[in-house]
């Protein structure tokens, strides 16, 4: 029942799973709903099945937006290095391919 959860997230893609993890870290009871038969299914296809999960050289200049200040604000609050620290904290082995492109070492 929906009232059993503090947060309901629609979509188990990269953004939905990140939201769910963040809410869970904050002690919330989370439900993630998705139409696919497996959470993160599209992530598994990213980077040829190895999951290209961030680019260390990502800057606000890499984004198009009607509000360019949003990208600056968002990347100051959560940097590619912050995401890399999250990945490493969970023991995900990774490697750098092209300049700054990080992939899971073996598979997504």
């Amino acid at each position: 029942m929906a009232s059993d959860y503090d947060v309901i997230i629609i979509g188990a893609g990269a953004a939905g799973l990140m939201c769910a993890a963040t809410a869970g870290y904050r002690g919330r009871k989370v439900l993630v709903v998705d139409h696919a038969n497996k959470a993160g299914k599209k992530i598994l296809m990213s980077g040829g099945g190895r999951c290209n999960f961030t680019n260390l050289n990502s800057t606000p200049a890499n984004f198009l937006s009607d509000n360019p200040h949003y990208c600056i604000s968002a990347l100051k609050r959560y940097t590619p290095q912050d995401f890399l620290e999250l990945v490493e904290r969970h023991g995900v082995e990774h490697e750098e391919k092209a300049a700054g492109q990080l992939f899971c070492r073996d598979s997504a």
Side-chain angles (χ1 to χ4, degrees), residues 2-8 20 23-24 26-31:
S3 61
D4 294 336
Y5 300 96
D6 300 313
V7 179
I8 298 174
R26 294 180 178 181
R28 305 300 192 273
K29 293 190 309 185
V30 180
L31 172 66

Side-chain angles (χ1 to χ4, degrees), residues 53-95:
F53 62 81
T54 196
N55 189 311
L56 296 175
N57 302 318
S58 188
T59 69
N62 301 113
F63 296 88
L64 298 175
S65 174
D66 288 338
N67 180 358
H69 299 290
Y70 172 77
C71 294
I72 293 168
S73 173
L75 287 176
K76 280 184 179 178
R77 291 179 186 184
Y78 198 83
T79 68
Q81 187 61 39
D82 292 326
F83 188 77
L84 181 57
E85 288 171 11
L86 172 74
V87 168
E88 289 176 347
R89 187 170 62 239
H90 287 280
V92 176
E93 293 185 18
H94 59 278
E95 61 189 358

